Amino acid sequence: MAILNDLIKRGVRVVPRWPSTVVGASKETLGFLLAQGWDINARGYSPNDKQPFMWLVATDYDMVKWCLEHGASVHPRGQELFRDGVTKTKARRECQQILEIVAPHGSIATFDLLRSKGAPLGWRPLHLAVETATYFSPSDKNDDVKHIERMAMVHYLLDVVGLDVNAPDQPVGSKILPMHSGTPICYISDGMLGRDNRELTWLLLDRGADPTDALRFAKSDSDFAEDVKEWKAWKEKQGGDGWEAKQGCNRREAKEGGDSKCCVQ
């Protein structure tokens, strides 16, 4: 703070030009910058630095709360207002909605807070939450904790928010955008760091996910294809003891050295 005050006395403008340059600053410093005319909703001019400040701290509940209390908007400035269920276009270079950042990386509390302030869901909150849930290695204790957190978010989006498990990730009929895979179940990666995605796959299938498109691009002998096949067999025998599902768990455990987890949702 002393340095900033000294710069101001020398006539130097201290208002940050890029939102990313103040990430990590204390709330005291940010408050000081606001008093000097910093626009908390300003966006960078570079395609790689186009998000407002609150987007860049979206994984920090306390910082998001502070931003909202100090004038941060839940809508990216200069961009057509996104309206869930109404907006029918998606530009390549648009700034994603903030809930599309919180869903895969932030907390449920942050998601709830932003929704209460009118933040739109955007196109892909569930898709990206599903994708992130596949990222962590089952052999790493810290990764298992993260996986549990991400699975909790997927459950929340499906069962509390009520998102469509078969929602498209872009306008129907539009040209396929980079890094877009289709419906949420298409975002499950078979081989990401050895993660067993059976629990996630079965959860989406139980909630009504259509695996047709995902199976079209998956190898016939992949874990994903096997999980879908076993889920269908289990559903057909719900009145029995779920033998096919149990056999699937046994096969997976044998293949992965006995450490695989089987969790039918």
Side-chain angles (χ1 to χ4, degrees), residues 154-229:
V154 174
H155 274 278
Y156 166 79
L157 294 175
L158 288 169
D159 301 333
V160 178
V161 181
L163 296 187
D164 181 359
V165 74
N166 290 307
D169 56 1
Q170 63 182 58
V172 176
S174 62
K175 184 177 180 180
I176 296 177
L177 296 171
M179 308 302 290
H180 287 58
S181 302
T183 60
I185 201 169
C186 294
Y187 281 70
I188 295 178
S189 172
D190 288 337
M192 181 64 72
L193 299 177
R195 164 62 64 183
D196 179 356
N197 292 316
R198 179 191 185 86
E199 176 188 3
L200 180 59
T201 301
W202 279 43
L203 170 62
L204 296 181
L205 291 171
D206 279 343
R207 298 303 189 273
D210 181 353
T212 303
D213 287 340
L215 288 171
R216 188 177 301 144
F217 296 102
K219 295 181 180 179
S220 59
D221 61 347
S222 67
D223 288 343
F224 176 76
E226 183 179 326
D227 288 340
V228 173
K229 179 180 179 181

Side-chain angles (χ1 to χ4, degrees), residues 68 74-75 112-119:
L68 292 170
V74 296
H75 303 287
D112 265 345
L113 174 62
L114 288 164
R115 280 193 78 208
S116 73
K117 301 299 182 180

Side-chain angles (χ1 to χ4, degrees), residues 16-264:
R17 183 178 180 184
W18 308 100
S20 58
T21 59
V22 288
V23 172
S26 68
K27 293 175 183 176
E28 180 185 11
T29 299
L30 294 173
F32 179 84
L33 293 174
L34 284 173
Q36 298 302 315
W38 173 48
D39 182 357
I40 197 171
N41 293 306
R43 297 172 61 185
Y45 298 102
S46 166
N48 298 321
D49 194 9
K50 60 188 176 183
Q51 295 177 328
F53 175 73
M54 188 167 66
W55 271 238
L56 303 175
V57 296
T59 59
D60 184 333
Y61 175 87
D62 288 335
M63 188 59 76
V64 168
K65 185 173 182 290
W66 183 92
C67 288
L68 292 170
E69 292 171 347
H70 289 79
S73 172
V74 296
H75 303 287
R77 175 178 293 167
Q79 188 167 298
E80 180 183 356
L81 190 67
F82 189 98
R83 292 185 292 166
D84 293 322
V86 177
T87 298
K88 301 298 182 184
T89 60
K90 183 171 186 178
R92 279 174 174 263
R93 298 184 180 278
E94 72 178 23
C95 177
Q96 67 186 143
Q97 302 303 315
I98 193 168
L99 292 184
E100 293 178 292
I101 297 175
V102 176
H105 303 294
S107 68
I108 291 173
T110 304
F111 197 99
D112 265 345
L113 174 62
L114 288 164
R115 280 193 78 208
S116 73
K117 301 299 182 180
L121 293 166
W123 286 101
R124 300 195 296 165
L126 179 58
H127 306 72
L128 297 175
V130 167
E131 181 179 53
T132 308
T134 71
Y135 282 177
F136 306 106
S137 173
S139 61
D140 186 294
K141 182 178 180 180
N142 291 328
D143 274 4
D144 268 347
V145 171
K146 293 176 183 176
H147 177 71
I148 291 171
E149 292 174 350
R150 295 344 302 166
M151 285 297 297
M153 177 64 81
V154 174
H155 274 278
Y156 166 79
L157 294 175
L158 288 169
D159 301 333
V160 178
V161 181
L163 296 187
D164 181 359
V165 74
N166 290 307
D169 56 1
Q170 63 182 58
V172 176
S174 62
K175 184 177 180 180
I176 296 177
L177 296 171
M179 308 302 290
H180 287 58
S181 302
T183 60
I185 201 169
C186 294
Y187 281 70
I188 295 178
S189 172
D190 288 337
M192 181 64 72
L193 299 177
R195 164 62 64 183
D196 179 356
N197 292 316
R198 179 191 185 86
E199 176 188 3
L200 180 59
T201 301
W202 279 43
L203 170 62
L204 296 181
L205 291 171
D206 279 343
R207 298 303 189 273
D210 181 353
T212 303
D213 287 340
L215 288 171
R216 188 177 301 144
F217 296 102
K219 295 181 180 179
S220 59
D221 61 347
S222 67
D223 288 343
F224 176 76
E226 183 179 326
D227 288 340
V228 173
K229 179 180 179 181
E230 290 164 0
W231 177 85
K232 289 180 177 179
W234 176 76
K235 290 294 286 186
E236 291 175 358
K237 286 187 172 286
Q238 278 193 34
D241 62 359
W243 182 85
E244 286 84 354
K246 293 178 182 178
Q247 291 300 307
C249 290
N250 292 338
R251 287 196 296 274
R252 184 69 60 79
E253 288 175 1
K255 183 164 63 174
E256 299 182 2
D259 294 328
S260 175
K261 297 178 181 178
C262 179
C263 180
V264 178

Side-chain angles (χ1 to χ4, degrees), residues 7-8 10-16 36-39:
L7 289 172
I8 291 173
R10 295 170 181 267
V12 178
R13 179 176 170 80
V14 297
V15 174
Q36 298 302 315
W38 173 48
D39 182 357

